[in-house]
Amino acid sequence: MDVLLLVLSVTGQLMQHTSAVNDHHPHPPAPGDTGPCGEYSNQVLANGWCKIVATLPHQDGQWCPDMFRCTDEVSYWIHENDQRKQEVVQLRELISELQEELRNHRHRLRALEHQPGESNHSAALLSRVNNLEIWASESSALQHLQANFIYDIQAQVRNLSLMVESTSRNSSCAIPAALRGRRQDPPPGGDLHQPGNCLTDCSNHYHNGVRSSGTYTILPSSGAAAIDVFCDMDTEGGGWTVIQRRQDGSVSFNKTWKAYKEGFGDLNGEFWLGNENIHRITKRGGYSLWIDLEDWTGQHKYALYREFSIEDEANYYRLHVLGASGTAEDSFAWYHNKRSFSTPESRNLCAEISHGGWWYHQCFYSNLNGVYYPGGNYVKGRKTVGPDGIVWYSWMHSDYYSLKKVSMMIRPRSFRVHQSP
């Protein structure tokens, strides 16, 4: 990782350089021991300089979109300090000159005290010495103010360092250059803006200038293989990573655990992104879920959930979903939250009779991976023990109405729409 090293003198001079080091962090000072270098550094070098270390993740010369503000603020504070640094240097020079002149006049004053007839001259020198002492005191006060300003910079750099370190822990930035920004079809109306390194979901593509919906490549987590996903850049500002879509019944969702784990279908048609991929994207936390619904009369509704994630396979991709809002009354979080994922062959009766994979719970109020029934209405038949359609119960108040179109997509809650690329 990269380390931003600020070296400051106790009297305010500042030097800056960046070096690559291993994961090494300076030991923090003891509580209450600020020392001449301030609260955040107890490392005073032999020549009177103070060393401040701000840890920044190694980015191969590029920064993730959500780190821009961090590095910009560091640069801002360093730039702001330049003028103050010059003032501190001038104050040091002035104090040195005053101290030297003060020493000379004291020597002359002591010599004159032993010579008769020099009382008037001695009084003038004494007045001059007093003035010099006042000026030296004022200069020291100004220098103290500058030292406080440098102390504030230390605190700012430390806070920014912690912010970037936190961002680094929650980001994966190792996507191969050959895969960055890849999509199956070129965007209409111009060349694709080349994104940076941290392409963990579609919001990163958005922040790198992509504004057209389509298939792009992301790296869900560190050490994982890059995958193609469909990015929705139109709904509610864009930046959505689509994890499921139903639209025409062309793909059967009556699949095995392995199929739901790895994903199946066509990204430009009907598909399930894969539980493992969904887990890798959402395990960092901070994701919201948008569910878009359409019935067979062309009516649209949506449900938005403030928090969404699923656990790993060892925990059966257990669901975490909270904070419902939108035009569709909740049929998902209140009943299915904290339920494990099940598929027809996993010995879960609900999954078996519902012919799909879902977070079932005696059995469902929503079943978006159910059987596709053209026309919407269906009845219990010889091949069905109970309802198994694409159901959102709170809308139609029926288990036997299957929706025409459904899509599920996720996006970081911190996402903000840009007015221009």
Side-chain angles (χ1 to χ4, degrees):
M1 49 176 61
D2 287 345
V3 170
L4 178 65
L5 181 61
L6 302 180
V7 184
L8 304 96
S9 75
V10 176
T11 55
Q13 297 186 70
L14 181 148
M15 296 192 303
Q16 172 192 358
H17 63 88
T18 303
S19 60
V21 300
N22 294 325
D23 291 335
H24 172 76
H25 303 280
H27 297 290
D33 180 17
T34 60
C37 292
E39 178 183 355
Y40 299 108
S41 175
N42 62 353
Q43 301 188 38
V44 182
L45 307 185
N47 58 359
W49 294 86
C50 298
K51 182 169 70 174
I52 308 165
V53 179
T55 304
L56 305 175
H58 182 59
Q59 300 297 331
D60 295 329
Q62 300 189 54
W63 296 96
C64 302
D66 47 2
M67 292 184 185
F68 282 144
R69 68 177 185 277
C70 304
T71 56
D72 286 346
E73 290 183 24
V74 173
S75 301
Y76 169 79
W77 280 108
I78 293 174
H79 176 74
E80 282 290 305
N81 188 61
D82 285 343
Q83 183 176 355
R84 306 295 181 123
K85 177 179 63 177
Q86 294 302 322
E87 294 175 2
V88 171
V89 172
Q90 292 172 5
L91 284 172
R92 285 190 66 221
E93 294 174 353
L94 176 61
I95 290 172
S96 297
E97 293 173 1
L98 292 174
Q99 289 174 342
E100 181 64 26
E101 188 175 355
L102 184 62
R103 282 194 296 270
N104 292 337
H105 282 294
R106 279 174 176 165
H107 288 308
R108 292 180 61 187
L109 183 61
R110 282 195 293 269
L112 289 171
E113 286 175 350
H114 295 71
Q115 297 179 13
E118 298 288 341
S119 59
N120 292 335
H121 188 56
S122 177
L125 286 175
L126 181 61
S127 176
R128 174 65 174 164
V129 169
N130 289 335
N131 289 336
L132 288 173
E133 288 178 341
I134 292 173
W135 293 342
S137 176
E138 291 175 349
S139 298
S140 297
L142 288 173
Q143 188 176 16
H144 179 71
L145 291 175
Q146 297 300 109
N148 288 337
F149 182 78
I150 293 174
Y151 174 83
D152 290 339
I153 291 178
Q154 293 178 10
Q156 290 286 345
V157 171
R158 176 174 172 80
N159 291 339
L160 292 169
S161 176
L162 293 174
M163 185 189 304
V164 174
E165 183 180 354
S166 175
T167 304
S168 176
R169 288 196 303 267
N170 294 331
S171 300
S172 304
C173 306
I175 189 166
L179 295 177
R180 295 176 196 154
R182 191 183 74 186
R183 58 173 289 162
Q184 293 178 353
D185 301 309
D191 295 331
L192 176 67
H193 178 76
Q194 283 297 323
N197 286 338
C198 270
L199 303 177
T200 57
D201 56 44
C202 291
S203 69
N204 296 140
H205 279 290
Y206 175 93
H207 286 298
N208 280 284
V210 175
R211 296 295 183 271
S212 299
S213 298
T215 304
Y216 298 90
T217 301
I218 67 169
L219 189 71
S221 61
S222 179
I227 63 170
D228 286 338
V229 296
F230 190 92
C231 296
D232 184 321
M233 299 299 182
D234 301 309
T235 301
E236 200 67 14
W240 296 97
T241 304
V242 183
I243 63 173
Q244 183 255 32
R245 187 190 295 124
R246 310 295 302 276
Q247 62 184 24
D248 54 20
S250 58
V251 175
S252 171
F253 276 62
N254 188 2
K255 301 288 188 181
T256 64
W257 178 270
K258 183 175 183 294
Y260 271 99
K261 172 185 176 179
E262 298 174 354
F264 56 86
D266 180 0
L267 289 176
N268 292 301
E270 296 195 328
F271 70 92
W272 179 256
L273 185 59
N275 287 333
E276 193 63 28
N277 292 326
I278 298 171
H279 162 67
R280 286 170 178 166
I281 296 173
T282 61
K283 70 178 181 179
R284 296 185 299 275
Y287 279 84
S288 58
L289 169 70
W290 181 286
I291 300 179
D292 199 71
L293 310 165
E294 181 182 340
D295 69 8
W296 288 87
T297 67
Q299 237 187 328
H300 288 264
K301 288 192 177 184
Y302 75 90
L304 176 63
Y305 295 91
R306 185 182 67 254
E307 297 179 19
F308 172 80
S309 65
I310 64 173
E311 298 182 27
D312 58 12
E313 185 177 22
N315 291 294
Y316 304 101
Y317 300 115
R318 185 181 293 116
L319 172 68
H320 295 271
V321 58
L322 295 169
S325 62
T327 58
E329 186 179 341
D330 180 29
S331 284
F332 188 38
W334 80 272
Y335 194 74
H336 296 273
N337 185 38
K338 296 187 178 179
R339 300 300 163 184
S340 299
F341 198 86
S342 303
T343 54
E345 91 289 5
S346 62
R347 296 183 180 180
N348 181 290
L349 179 60
C350 291
E352 186 176 347
I353 65 177
S354 299
H355 302 105
W358 197 245
W359 297 276
Y360 292 110
H361 171 49
Q362 300 179 3
C363 281
F364 62 76
Y365 268 76
S366 62
N367 185 37
L368 303 187
N369 289 338
V371 177
Y372 193 89
Y373 286 100
N377 292 299
Y378 66 101
V379 295
K380 181 177 178 181
R382 289 181 300 174
K383 296 182 179 179
T384 60
V385 178
D388 60 356
I390 303 173
V391 173
W392 192 267
Y393 184 85
S394 63
W395 187 359
M396 299 300 173
H397 299 286
S398 171
D399 287 321
Y400 289 94
Y401 186 93
S402 183
L403 296 172
K404 181 180 181 180
K405 292 182 180 180
V406 174
S407 64
M408 302 172 65
M409 41 197 176
I410 57 177
R411 185 175 73 180
R413 288 197 304 275
S414 59
F415 178 87
R416 295 295 180 269
V417 177
H418 289 184
Q419 295 303 317
S420 60

